[in-house]
Structure formats: C-alpha cells, structure tokens
Amino acid sequence: MADRDPDQRKSYHHGNLRQALVDAAITLIEEKGPLGFTLAEAARAAGVSPAAPYRHFRNREDLVEEVARQGFVIFAEQLERAFDRGRPSPLSSFFATGGAYLGFARSHPGFYMAMFEAGAAISANPELALAAQRALDVMIRAAELLMAQVPPERRPPPTMVANHVWAFSHGVVELFARGAPGARAPYTPEEMLESGTGIYLRGLGVLPL
C-alpha cells in the first residue's frame, strides 16, 4: 500500500495541525509582530509543508484571527476570575479587572498583539466577535455593579465606563510595552492604572474627593 504523502505524515505527527499552526503563529507574532511573518513561515515553524496550512486557513490574516479568538477566550476567563461576581466588593473587583488586563498583556504577548495590533476586522468574524464581546461583557458587569451606587440622574452608561477603563488599560499597556518610554518610569503599570482609574472614579462620584 502506498505511503501517506509528506503532508499527511507530518499532520498526523502533530495530531492537531490547526492548533500546531496557531502555536507556531503565537511564537512568530512575539518575535516579529502580527504582520511580520508569512503563512509559509508558520508552516515551517510547525514542521509542515507550505501547502499544509491551507487545509485550515485561507491566509495569514485568517490564522492571526484564530490566534486572536483564542486569546480573547483566555482573556475573558482571566477577567471573569478577577471579577469574581463582584466579590469581595464591587470596587475591589472593578480594580481587579483592570489588573487582569495588564496581567494578560504581560503573560500572553503573542495573543495580545494578535488581538489588538493586527488590525483585524473583529465584527467581520462572528466567532472572534463573540469571544471579544464576552471579555467586554465582564467589564460591563463590573461597571454595572460599581455604578449602582451613583444616583440614577448622574449615572453614566456602564458600557461607556467599561470602554473608558478598557481604553485606559490598553494605553497603559502600550506605554510600558516593549521598551516604550513608560518602561523607564519610576512607577509600575499597575500603579499608573490604579491611580488613573481612581481619578476617573472620583470624577464620577464613586470615590470621595
């Protein structure tokens, strides 16, 4: 009986070719950025032929979007653990979600870059959009609990509060990332995020002036 073709032998060796390509892409993204490698390079890093990835991905962008989707799943799980259904208090859990944002960016740089630096049209990919929304929903729930103590006539939409803190967290990550100027600051990213979030919450009347 004829032997399998080389691609079949290699994909069988990996067991899960799709995930092997994702894992290879994560490493390449960390080394070169989400736009700095080709699908052929991902194939080579995964130990398969240049044609093999096309069984699972249309192009590099498709592969990077799958990395982003998996990243958002992990991100949402970490946010949910940090939020812990508002325990021990809405305020502490709100701050914890911000800390989880920084922690994820630090511990999963490849995922983070695929999620936020690849320029993916998230809304055009239903699975990616669903994973991203799950992460945002955690921050919205944290904001809802916290904003409940603000009088209704002065209460901002929880989605806006969640997006403000998301944007602030993202800015802190970028300021301190990969040799950026913030890396030389005499304070940590966590300290900057906490102080900035505190100023924001005082402006909303959540914290005393």
Side-chain angles (χ1 to χ4, degrees):
M1 183 173 67
D3 195 5
R4 295 183 179 91
D5 65 54
D7 288 354
Q8 288 176 318
R9 288 198 301 272
K10 289 176 180 177
S11 64
Y12 175 78
H13 171 72
H14 280 292
N16 186 342
L17 174 58
R18 181 181 177 86
Q19 190 59 44
L21 290 164
V22 169
D23 294 341
I26 293 169
T27 300
L28 288 168
I29 290 169
E30 291 177 0
E31 294 174 353
K32 302 182 177 185
L35 306 179
F37 68 97
T38 65
L39 199 58
E41 287 180 278
R44 184 163 57 249
V48 297
S49 76
Y54 292 97
R55 299 174 182 176
H56 300 283
F57 302 103
R58 298 186 303 274
N59 47 40
R60 180 196 60 197
E61 289 72 23
D62 196 25
L63 172 58
V64 172
E65 285 186 10
E66 174 58 17
V67 174
R69 186 197 68 79
Q70 293 188 19
F72 272 115
V73 170
I74 297 170
F75 183 43
E77 291 171 350
Q78 293 190 1
L79 288 174
E80 286 168 350
R81 285 195 295 271
F83 173 52
D84 194 22
R85 292 181 290 179
R87 298 177 296 192
S89 72
L91 180 61
S92 63
S93 65
F94 186 81
F95 275 103
T97 59
Y101 193 110
L102 299 187
F104 175 83
R106 181 181 293 113
S107 60
H108 299 288
F111 281 125
Y112 188 88
M113 285 187 277
M115 292 155 60
F116 298 113
E117 299 178 14
I122 293 179
S123 60
N125 183 325
E127 292 184 350
L128 175 56
L130 184 64
Q133 186 62 48
R134 177 185 167 190
L136 179 58
D137 284 345
V138 179
M139 300 187 77
I140 292 173
R141 292 201 302 274
E144 285 175 338
L145 277 181
L146 188 61
M147 291 301 107
Q149 61 187 283
V150 177
E153 67 274 10
R154 295 196 295 106
R155 187 180 303 160
T159 300
M160 183 180 72
V161 174
N163 278 317
H164 279 164
V165 175
W166 185 307
F168 190 30
S169 301
H170 185 77
V172 170
V173 169
E174 292 303 308
L175 184 62
F176 283 82
R178 298 183 291 283
R184 298 187 294 275
Y187 41 80
T188 67
E190 287 77 11
E191 289 170 337
M192 182 173 181
L193 179 61
E194 183 174 347
S195 64
T197 303
I199 292 169
Y200 174 69
L201 294 179
R202 285 185 180 89
L204 294 178
V206 176
L207 296 177
L209 296 174

